Amino acid sequence: MADITRRLGWRHLRGAPTAHIRHHRGGKLLHDGPGLSFWFRALTAALSEVPVDDRELAMTFHARTSDFQDVAVQATVTYRISDPAVAATRLDFSIDPDTGAWRGTPLEQLGTLLTETAQQHALDVLARTPLSAALVDGVAAVRERVAAGLAAEPRLPATGIEVVAVRVVALRPEPEVERALRTPAREQIQQEADRATYERRAVAVERERTIAENELASQIELARREEQLVDQRGTNARREAEEHAAADAVRAEAEAARTVRLAEAEATRSVRLARAEAEGAREVGEARAQAQAAWLRVHAEVDVATLHALTGTRLAENLPRIDSVTVSPDVLTGLLARLGTQEQA
């Protein structure tokens, strides 16, 4: 919208670079162009403001496919006014000289023209297309048909309108039909999700089985090593026992040999001692015999009285100590008689 200010019965208009201003006075064109700024009198001026920037027109309409299914079409048409002079003569772009606002609704008229034209071509395409094909390829087909139809529409150049681009945002069936169409896909997605879940579970089970097998293999290996350790310990203990037994046997043999040697030495010593004792006894016997023989020889040469005296002496030596002796007369008589007899003899 143009910016208009008042000064003492005059008006000053300042337009935007995207707005084409046309100023007539008395049927003559005084100003024509975008972004103008000028003074004018409100009572004699006829002003028009035509936007020349690109405009986006969003449209939504319903159509029916060849299988009698309703679909909603969402599209956007980008357009611009390429000939402001022609557009100003075909549509009412006049503005109030006091406020700068449009007196009519020219952009709504343009929107109605573009929407109806685009809708006509879109309906023509969808009416010959089944719903399944429309949902798959309908967006591209509708866009191409609408773009070609708007480019070939003679009213648009005659109005100074140029279509820049056409975009079809979506083709949507009715909610019930959309839910019905989504069901197989959802089922398939659910099946894929279930299969993925089962595969994950299978992978998890396989991993758990692998882990269990590894743990079992580890336990078996540990048990085998423990068995080997027990065997090795038994072998070591048996070897140690054998070595101890061998050492004990060696010690026993050595002890036995030492005992035998000691016994032999003792026997030898005993034999030698017995021989020595026998020899000593023999020598003593011989000496005694010789002494006895000498003693007998000596006594054989001595008279009887001397022998009696010696016998008494020897007897006195061997008798116990006698503190007192009592000789009875009978004994003394007998002894004296015996002595007398011996002397006579």
Side-chain angles (χ1 to χ4, degrees):
M1 185 175 66
D3 184 14
I4 297 177
T5 57
R6 301 179 182 181
R7 291 293 186 274
L8 300 175
W10 288 84
R11 305 288 187 270
H12 183 271
L13 184 145
R14 182 175 60 199
T18 57
H20 189 96
I21 305 298
R22 292 175 63 84
H23 176 209
H24 291 79
R25 188 178 62 188
K28 294 182 179 180
L29 183 61
L30 299 181
H31 299 90
D32 186 16
L36 298 180
S37 178
F38 54 87
W39 292 90
F40 65 92
R41 288 183 177 274
L43 297 177
T44 60
L47 301 174
S48 298
E49 183 181 12
V50 181
V52 294
D53 56 341
D54 290 350
R55 297 275 172 158
E56 300 287 340
L57 176 62
M59 58 185 72
T60 301
F61 53 88
H62 291 272
R64 179 169 293 183
T65 62
S66 62
D67 49 0
F68 304 102
Q69 298 295 325
D70 291 335
V71 292
V73 181
Q74 296 179 0
T76 302
V77 176
T78 304
Y79 70 94
R80 66 169 175 263
I81 301 176
S82 59
D83 194 343
V86 175
T89 59
R90 299 295 298 272
L91 298 173
D92 185 10
F93 284 98
S94 62
I95 61 175
D96 189 283
D98 292 328
T99 61
W102 279 316
R103 296 179 184 273
T105 56
L107 295 182
E108 293 182 4
Q109 295 176 4
L110 280 178
T112 301
L113 175 61
L114 291 172
T115 301
E116 292 179 352
T117 304
Q119 183 175 358
Q120 178 182 358
H121 294 288
L123 293 177
D124 188 22
V125 173
L126 294 175
R128 295 192 298 270
T129 306
L131 178 62
S132 58
L135 294 178
V136 176
D137 300 324
V139 173
V142 171
R143 182 179 64 249
E144 293 175 0
R145 182 59 180 275
V146 171
L150 292 177
E153 178 63 33
R155 290 183 58 189
L156 297 180
T159 313
I161 305 301
E162 179 184 357
V163 177
V164 177
V166 176
R167 298 186 300 277
V168 177
V169 180
L171 286 174
R172 293 186 178 276
E174 292 181 346
E176 295 81 3
V177 177
E178 187 174 5
R179 284 194 295 270
L181 293 174
R182 287 178 178 176
T183 301
R186 287 182 176 178
E187 292 293 335
Q188 184 177 1
I189 292 173
Q190 186 63 38
Q191 292 176 3
E192 294 291 337
D194 294 340
R195 183 165 60 252
T197 301
Y198 296 150
E199 290 178 355
R200 284 198 304 272
R201 290 180 180 176
V203 171
V205 171
E206 182 66 21
R207 290 180 179 175
E208 290 179 357
R209 186 181 64 81
T210 303
I211 293 173
E213 289 180 354
N214 292 335
E215 291 179 353
L216 181 59
S218 299
Q219 293 178 0
I220 292 173
E221 181 64 21
L222 289 176
R224 186 180 63 80
R225 292 186 179 181
E226 288 180 358
E227 183 179 1
Q228 292 179 355
L229 181 60
V230 170
D231 294 340
Q232 186 63 37
R233 286 179 177 175
T235 303
N236 294 338
R238 185 168 59 252
R239 185 178 301 172
E240 185 177 0
E242 291 176 355
E243 291 179 356
H244 285 314
D248 292 339
V250 171
R251 284 196 297 270
E253 291 178 359
E255 186 68 21
R258 188 174 66 84
T259 303
V260 169
R261 287 195 300 272
L262 290 177
E264 291 178 353
E266 184 66 21
T268 303
R269 188 173 64 81
S270 297
V271 169
R272 290 179 181 177
L273 181 59
R275 289 178 181 177
E277 289 179 352
E279 184 68 22
R282 185 180 61 80
E283 291 178 356
V284 170
E286 291 179 354
R288 287 180 178 177
Q290 292 176 3
Q292 188 69 23
W295 184 75
L296 291 175
R297 287 192 302 267
V298 171
H299 285 75
E301 296 176 357
V302 178
D303 56 359
V304 175
T306 302
L307 291 175
H308 285 168
L310 290 174
T311 301
T313 302
R314 181 67 56 86
L315 180 61
E317 290 177 357
N318 293 325
L319 288 175
R321 182 178 177 181
I322 300 174
D323 294 332
S324 61
V325 178
T326 301
V327 181
S328 63
D330 296 334
V331 174
L332 183 60
T333 301
L335 290 174
L336 291 176
R338 188 177 295 177
L339 289 174
T341 303
Q342 291 178 356
E343 288 179 358
Q344 290 177 1

